[in-house]
Amino acid sequence: MEDQEQEQEQEQDHQDQNIAYSLDKALTTLGFGKFQYLILAYSGMGSFSEATEIMILSFIGQALNEEWALSSSQKSLLTTVVFAGMLVGAYSWGLISDNIGRKKGLLGVLLVASGAGLLSAFSPNYVSLLVMRCLLGVGLGGGPVFLSWFLEFVPSPSRGKWMVVYSAFWTLGTIAEAALAWIVMPRLNWRWLLGLSAIPSIALLLFYTLIPESPRYLCMKGRTKEAHLLLKRMAKVNRSELPPGILVSDDALGLDEESPALEATQSHPSTTENTSTKFWSGCSSFFMLLSPKLIGTTIRLWILFFGISFSYYGVILLTSELSSMSNRCGSSVLLPNVPQDSSLYVNVFITSLAEVPGIVLAAGLVDTIGRKHSVAVMFVVAFIFLFPLLFKQSAIITTILLFITRMCSIGTFTVVCIYAPELYPTSVRATGAGLASSMGRIGGMICPIVAVGLVTGCHQTTAIILFEAVIVLSTICVMLFPYDTKGRQLSDTLKLLGILIEIKVSSAGKSSLLAYGMKRNMNMLVLH
């Protein structure tokens, strides 16, 4: 009897070895459990940390002006260098994480961000502060790496919902920083605010050794055995079971469907890669984004990220500048019975609270009407509520209009940050999302010139017209994307992305011969 049971178990094991399952199937089977909650907490704190450091720019300008007698251009430059650093960091960290791993990329991000953020508090003069904030920007540019890393642990059916939850950490960061500034600035000084704001990055660095590598990155690099061990660990923590069979990468399933599953999982250890290979791999990742199959997506994402960054940071800086310049220009967002010294912190805190309903709105729309239409709807609402600021409004009305505009701005930012990495295959996902984020940083660099320069010069109407024009351009751009990613599985290779486009083309009634030719051409561009 026992021998018969052993034979049955051996036969079952033999059958399992000839059954292959993909990473997406494994993640869907395991579900979103305790393991993913821990990943969410860590990556979310990365977004929280980035938000706190960005929000500082709304509070320290006036204090620095009193201590160092800064001009308007010097105040603008302090904001611009942060986004300049983020421009460099977003692409660099994406390239690094796509070639040597998400985990190593995160280590570099945390070392730079925590170090520069803490040292900023001890800056003896304006120039040294400028340098430290620029270096901090390089570290903050790694935000897309946190996003891509978390995304690659999430089952596709619930990806939209959990990506919105992830984005809520940014909102919590902005609210926390506004509250911290409200407490610290009137009682201590800007150095304390900078030092305390670096604590989240330092905490993440202390817990770094506990985080795992992305299973999707491991599969993409052919390290399926390591990915399988990680999935087994995930199953144990989640108290669930993996599907029967063995794990194979998506490109292996697509390239060699007739081969036995076991042969398809033969890995190509990354230890054989040398420095030269990794360098050229990084270059190929960049040029692949500009390949005929991806260049349309890449260019549209660049324009879209520029628009959402320009409008989002514009609303934040517009709030602080209108508060600071209320007496000079006769326009105010000061609330009744609020001392003028505290008005900046009160106004920014209140408008920061707008991000909570903004996240809720994004969560309700993203998996209901899709990514594209969610962004378009919220852009239209933002346009409508920003328009009355072309004319002089009362303090209460101005604050309400900025509240709703910021609510929609964070909603669009949230959905686009979900949409961008979903549009790229794993092999270039962090690089593509990072480079798109870099284009957004250009919007962030230009925005202070508009928000600070024009509003300081009492040209509020001109500034609003420019913000409205950017919103219109961004709305048109998002509607030009050829397909939505709602409910779709992430692709690991350009080949699988080609099949996705093929399905879209076929469903539109195009020639099946065209779809077949597209698939055949893209099969030759598989990324390993």
Side-chain angles (χ1 to χ4, degrees), residues 195-208:
L196 292 173
S197 299
I199 291 178
S201 295
I202 297 172
L204 287 173
L205 191 59
L206 294 176
F207 288 97
Y208 168 78

Side-chain angles (χ1 to χ4, degrees), residues 45-57 79 81-91 93 108-114 116-117 132-146 166 170 197-198 200-201 204 313 434 437-438 441:
M45 281 304 297
S47 180
F48 181 97
S49 174
E50 182 182 356
T52 59
E53 294 288 4
I54 292 294
M55 284 298 295
I56 288 177
L57 305 174
T79 301
V81 295
V82 176
F83 287 103
M86 295 175 77
L87 174 65
V88 175
Y91 174 68
W93 297 122
V109 168
L110 294 173
L111 285 172
V112 175
S114 60
M132 286 297 103
R133 300 311 287 179
C134 184
L135 288 176
L136 173 68
V138 174
L140 297 180
V145 181
F146 280 102
Y166 167 86
W170 173 281
S197 299
S201 295
L204 287 173
Y313 293 117
S437 180
S438 294
R441 306 314 176 191

Side-chain angles (χ1 to χ4, degrees), residues 4-5 13 29 248 253 294 307 331 345 359 432 443 451 465 492 494 503 513-514:
Q4 186 177 359
E5 291 179 356
D13 292 340
T29 302
V248 296
L253 283 172
L294 290 179
S331 175
Y345 313 116
I359 292 293
I465 290 174
D492 281 345
L494 192 57
I503 294 171
L513 180 61
L514 173 64

Side-chain angles (χ1 to χ4, degrees), residues 130-201:
L130 210 62
V131 172
M132 286 297 103
R133 300 311 287 179
C134 184
L135 288 176
L136 173 68
V138 174
L140 297 180
V145 181
F146 280 102
L147 179 64
S148 296
W149 179 66
F150 172 66
L151 176 69
E152 292 169 357
F153 284 92
V154 182
S156 57
S158 58
R159 193 169 61 235
K161 178 183 70 175
W162 287 110
M163 293 302 286
V164 172
V165 173
Y166 167 86
S167 301
F169 282 88
W170 173 281
T171 297
L172 293 176
T174 61
I175 296 173
E177 187 65 23
L180 182 64
W182 194 356
I183 296 171
V184 172
M185 292 297 287
R187 297 167 178 80
L188 300 171
N189 57 41
W190 61 269
R191 296 183 186 275
W192 279 94
L193 183 62
L194 292 181
L196 292 173
S197 299
I199 291 178
S201 295

Side-chain angles (χ1 to χ4, degrees), residues 190-517:
W190 61 269
R191 296 183 186 275
W192 279 94
L193 183 62
L194 292 181
L196 292 173
S197 299
I199 291 178
S201 295
I202 297 172
L204 287 173
L205 191 59
L206 294 176
F207 288 97
Y208 168 78
T209 56
L210 301 178
I211 67 172
E213 181 56 90
S214 159
R216 195 171 292 276
Y217 172 82
L218 293 173
C219 284
M220 187 266 293
K221 288 296 184 180
R223 296 157 59 182
T224 51
K225 291 182 180 179
E226 294 178 54
H228 184 256
L229 290 175
L230 177 57
L231 290 174
K232 289 176 64 178
R233 176 183 165 194
M234 193 184 305
K236 183 178 180 180
V237 174
N238 288 356
R239 295 183 179 180
S240 56
E241 294 183 359
L242 288 169
I246 55 175
L247 175 68
V248 296
S249 59
D250 287 346
D251 59 330
L253 283 172
L255 284 173
D256 197 6
E257 294 176 351
E258 297 179 358
S259 299
L262 187 58
E263 294 178 5
T265 59
Q266 294 297 319
S267 61
H268 305 280
S270 61
T271 53
T272 60
E273 295 181 355
N274 54 36
T275 304
S276 177
T277 301
K278 291 181 179 180
F279 172 78
W280 289 112
S281 177
C283 293
S284 68
S285 297
F286 173 76
F287 288 113
M288 188 57 65
L289 297 175
L290 303 180
S291 67
K293 305 304 179 184
L294 290 179
I295 189 169
T297 296
T298 299
I299 296 299
R300 281 187 285 267
L301 276 178
W302 289 358
I303 297 173
L304 187 56
F305 265 90
F306 179 93
I308 61 171
S309 295
F310 190 92
S311 57
Y312 174 74
Y313 293 117
V315 173
I316 294 176
L317 293 174
L318 191 62
T319 303
S320 61
E321 287 304 312
L322 287 176
S323 297
S324 300
M325 301 305 298
S326 57
N327 290 335
R328 176 180 172 183
C329 299
S331 175
S332 176
V333 291
L334 294 175
L335 296 179
N337 304 320
V338 176
Q340 186 166 343
D341 291 341
S342 302
S343 64
L344 171 60
Y345 313 116
V346 174
N347 290 322
V348 175
F349 180 77
I350 290 175
T351 53
S352 294
L353 292 176
E355 298 200 2
V356 176
I359 292 293
V360 174
L361 178 64
L365 294 176
V366 68
D367 279 332
T368 303
I369 64 175
R371 280 55 162 160
K372 288 173 54 177
H373 295 98
S374 297
V375 175
V377 166
M378 289 184 284
F379 265 138
V380 171
V381 175
F383 179 91
I384 292 172
F385 281 89
L386 191 60
F387 186 82
L389 290 180
L390 288 170
F391 314 99
K392 184 177 179 179
Q393 305 293 338
S394 66
I396 295 293
I397 296 299
T398 302
T399 303
I400 292 173
L401 292 173
L402 287 174
F403 184 95
I404 298 175
T405 303
R406 182 160 177 182
M407 179 185 75
C408 294
S409 296
I410 187 59
T412 58
F413 213 131
T414 298
V415 177
V416 170
C417 286
I418 295 170
Y419 193 29
E422 291 178 336
L423 290 168
Y424 289 115
T426 301
S427 44
V428 293
R429 180 168 298 122
T431 301
L435 191 57
S437 180
S438 294
M439 297 302 109
R441 306 314 176 191
I442 295 178
M445 291 167 59
I446 297 175
C447 184
I449 301 174
V450 176
V452 178
L454 291 179
V455 178
T456 300
C458 299
H459 300 297
Q460 176 182 331
T461 300
T462 305
I464 299 299
I465 290 174
L466 187 54
F467 286 133
E468 295 280 53
V470 170
I471 290 174
V472 170
L473 177 63
S474 301
T475 305
I476 295 172
C477 181
V478 75
M479 294 308 298
L480 292 177
F481 281 94
Y483 62 90
D484 205 299
T485 56
K486 183 184 76 170
R488 296 183 185 273
Q489 294 183 348
L490 294 178
S491 60
D492 281 345
T493 66
L494 192 57
K495 177 183 78 70
L496 294 178
L497 189 63
I499 295 173
L500 182 68
I501 297 173
E502 174 194 336
I503 294 171
K504 181 66 178 180
V505 172
S506 299
S507 65
K510 304 297 182 181
S511 168
S512 59
L513 180 61
L514 173 64
Y516 173 77

